[in-house]
Amino acid sequence: MKIVADENIPLLNAFFQSIGDITTYPGREIGPEQVADADILLVRSVTQVNQALLANSSVRFVGTCTIGTDHIDLAYLEAQEINFAAAPGCNANAVVEYVVSVLDVLAEQQGFNWQDKVVGIVGKGNVGDRLYQVLNKLGITCLVSDPILEAAEDESCEYVSLDQLLAESDIVTLHTPLTEAGDYPTHHLLDAARLDKLKPNAILINASRGAVVDNQALMSSLSAGKPLTVALDVWEQEPEINRQLLPLITIATPHIAGYSVDGKIAGTEMVYRAICRAFGLPSRVRVEGIKPLPKLKALSFSSDACLEEVLSTSIRSVYDVRQDDALLRNSFRALAEDASTAQVFDSLRKHYRSRREFSTVKVKIKKCSGKVSSALKALNFNVVTV
Ligand SMILES: NC(=O)c1ccc[n+]([C@@H]2O[C@H](COP(=O)([O-])OP(=O)(O)OC[C@H]3O[C@@H](n4cnc5c(N)ncnc54)[C@H](O)[C@@H]3O)[C@@H](O)[C@H]2O)c1
Ligand SMILES: O=C(O)[C@H](O)[C@H](O)COP(=O)(O)O
């Protein structure tokens, strides 16, 4: 079989070389010509998969090694009886750890204690629910808005309206898909009116999709002096992000919240297993059999280390969002005259030094307080008491 794939999908040969001949392209350059005689198309979020791409192709299976599927015309694939698989939850832990790093950094910069804040979570799916569980275990009060789960009478938490969440949360973090249709569309969910409802000095984090927040309205609000701290990992019009918005954003990253090594490989593996099922193939490849993944040295703390020090040191030893923020700002500052915003944004993502996830890091603690150990376990660290 012929496989056409986004070059940014990790371990393509390890997983798929026994299934077919693989040809890779930059995700944004996969067009009708590239897929014309392909049987299987493997993409990430930057390839629009629709009738314009597939109408005259032989593609029988589309896989996106991502959580988001807003780049896929699902109705068209179904109508054409083209098999489809995404990778739900594959990098959800990475996004949670991104949010945790943002909170860790802002808590230090603004001198607050997480436990004293109310966190509003918009969207309680794979990412939002994991974040909810982590924050709950850390004793942090959460408000949750998810009208779809609420309508389905989900009882995993008490739900509030979005307007109540915006009015009462100190920190608002967005984890919905980007949708334009249905009962609860999320395109510009946070428009000018809703941005106005955010508390003074609130923190807004968007690691979902750029257009869930009206970026023009956000820029107007911030330019008018609204006291708001914003962390954006996703931007409207990616990769042509609005560079005038950049200086108004406190933490700015190039859509890498889900870019852990573990999450990216999980995405590839999930689509591989779906293809094996769809084509009745033996699912032989195991991630464990692939070259060992980079491991971080174990951390250890003295028994009198304070909780804040242990948490912050552990988080930053694995991921410090300030590094990605600085890299993005320096890259745009150094932007060569002829280099476009899109080239810089995409290059940062293509050459991203993927990080590991907290669960892969062993933290050795000498007879520490139960509070420290349980907090680290809440963050999914691999805790060993020595
Ligand atoms: N920045 C990144 O690198 C990154 C990584 C992973 C996922 N994402 C994005 O985050 C989104 C969420 O990821 P997930 O794995 O939790 O997806 P998911 O599908 O598991 O959960 C999404 C949740 O949002 C809820 N929802 C839908 N419309 C809503 C609305 N109007 N208001 C409130 N809630 C609403 C759904 O009911 C669902 O519970 C993905 O669709 C993707 O676009 C971004
Ligand atoms: O939807 C997802 O899984 C994430 O947004 C992921 O980070 C997308 O990564 P990309 O396809 O842009 O490489």
Side-chain angles (χ1 to χ4, degrees):
M1 284 194 278
K2 179 172 171 57
I3 301 172
V4 165
D6 180 324
E7 63 183 8
N8 274 353
I9 296 173
L11 301 179
L12 276 169
N13 287 328
F15 279 104
F16 299 102
Q17 63 187 355
S18 64
I19 295 177
D21 299 324
I22 304 168
T23 309
T24 61
Y25 300 94
R28 296 187 202 281
E29 295 175 20
I30 296 178
E33 182 187 340
Q34 286 70 35
V35 302
D37 60 349
D39 301 292
I40 294 173
L41 171 59
L42 303 176
V43 298
R44 293 190 62 86
S45 73
V46 300
T47 306
Q48 295 303 313
V49 180
N50 49 30
Q51 181 172 8
L53 178 68
L54 300 179
N56 301 311
S57 81
S58 52
V59 169
R60 294 181 285 151
F61 188 105
V62 171
T64 182
C65 302
T66 62
I67 288 178
T69 58
D70 48 285
H71 54 293
I72 309 281
D73 184 338
L74 296 172
Y76 173 74
L77 296 186
E78 187 174 0
Q80 299 300 312
E81 297 182 344
I82 297 173
N83 274 339
F84 171 72
C90 67
N91 56 45
N93 286 334
V95 181
V96 169
E97 293 168 13
Y98 174 90
V99 173
V100 163
S101 181
V102 167
L103 296 180
D104 170 54
V105 164
L106 292 180
E108 181 183 74
Q109 285 179 359
Q110 298 183 7
F112 66 79
N113 184 322
W114 302 16
Q115 270 81 359
D116 301 335
K117 297 294 183 182
V118 174
V119 178
I121 299 173
V122 183
K124 190 172 179 283
N126 281 308
V127 175
D129 184 51
R130 281 172 169 83
L131 180 62
Y132 176 79
Q133 301 301 335
V134 167
L135 297 179
N136 257 321
K137 287 174 189 166
L138 291 174
I140 294 168
T141 303
C142 294
L143 296 177
V144 180
S145 169
D146 189 325
I148 295 172
L149 288 181
E150 186 176 17
E153 297 180 357
D154 169 74
E155 296 181 347
S156 63
C157 71
E158 291 295 320
Y159 291 97
V160 299
S161 70
L162 179 57
D163 288 347
Q164 178 183 344
L165 183 145
L166 296 174
E168 297 178 11
S169 300
D170 303 302
I171 299 164
V172 174
T173 183
L174 307 176
H175 301 290
T176 70
L178 177 60
T179 54
E180 311 252 359
D183 294 337
Y184 306 100
T186 63
H187 182 269
H188 285 188
L189 184 69
L190 261 58
D191 56 13
R194 288 235 168 87
L195 288 168
D196 256 359
K197 294 180 191 286
L198 286 163
K199 289 171 73 170
N201 302 310
I203 293 170
L204 173 63
I205 303 169
N206 188 13
S208 60
R209 283 291 182 266
V212 172
V213 176
D214 179 338
N215 282 204
Q216 194 55 48
L218 178 62
M219 189 162 75
S220 303
S221 179
L222 293 168
S223 302
K226 180 170 178 77
L228 181 61
T229 299
V230 181
L232 285 191
D233 180 58
V234 287
W235 309 70
E236 277 200 283
Q237 314 300 335
E238 284 179 24
E240 290 287 357
I241 69 169
N242 177 353
R243 288 172 55 195
Q244 292 176 318
L245 181 55
L246 195 48
L248 299 166
I249 303 302
T250 305
I251 294 179
T253 48
H255 196 153
I256 47 77
Y259 267 24
S260 65
V261 174
D262 314 83
K264 287 187 87 167
I265 290 175
T268 307
E269 183 179 16
M270 290 174 78
V271 170
Y272 163 73
R273 302 235 179 280
I275 287 175
C276 291
R277 285 192 298 273
F279 290 94
L281 300 170
S283 166
R284 290 204 181 94
V285 178
R286 292 285 174 276
V287 174
E288 298 70 40
I290 294 166
K291 66 179 183 354
L293 299 175
K295 284 199 181 304
L296 285 165
K297 68 181 181 357
L299 301 168
S300 58
F301 296 94
S302 62
S303 54
D304 60 353
C306 74
L307 176 61
E308 288 71 23
E309 176 209 340
V310 172
L311 290 188
S312 198
T313 305
S314 301
I315 292 165
R316 295 180 190 187
S317 71
V318 186
Y319 182 53
D320 187 336
V321 70
R322 291 173 301 183
Q323 293 173 2
D324 290 330
D325 172 272
L327 185 57
L328 183 141
R329 293 182 200 277
N330 294 338
S331 301
F332 278 118
R333 207 173 286 130
L335 186 61
E337 280 310 307
D338 60 342
S340 75
T341 299
Q343 282 175 322
V344 172
F345 193 85
D346 277 348
S347 174
L348 286 168
R349 308 191 74 230
K350 182 176 179 182
H351 302 296
Y352 187 72
R353 56 124 199 57
S354 282
R355 60 191 190 264
R356 294 306 306 275
E357 291 180 1
F358 291 173
S359 62
T360 65
V361 177
K362 192 170 286 185
V363 181
K364 295 177 186 169
I365 309 184
K366 298 185 182 73
K367 294 186 291 300
C368 70
S369 75
K371 192 176 177 187
V372 170
S373 172
S374 55
L376 283 169
K377 285 175 183 170
L379 287 170
N380 218 14
F381 279 101
N382 178 0
V383 181
V384 176
T385 306
V386 294

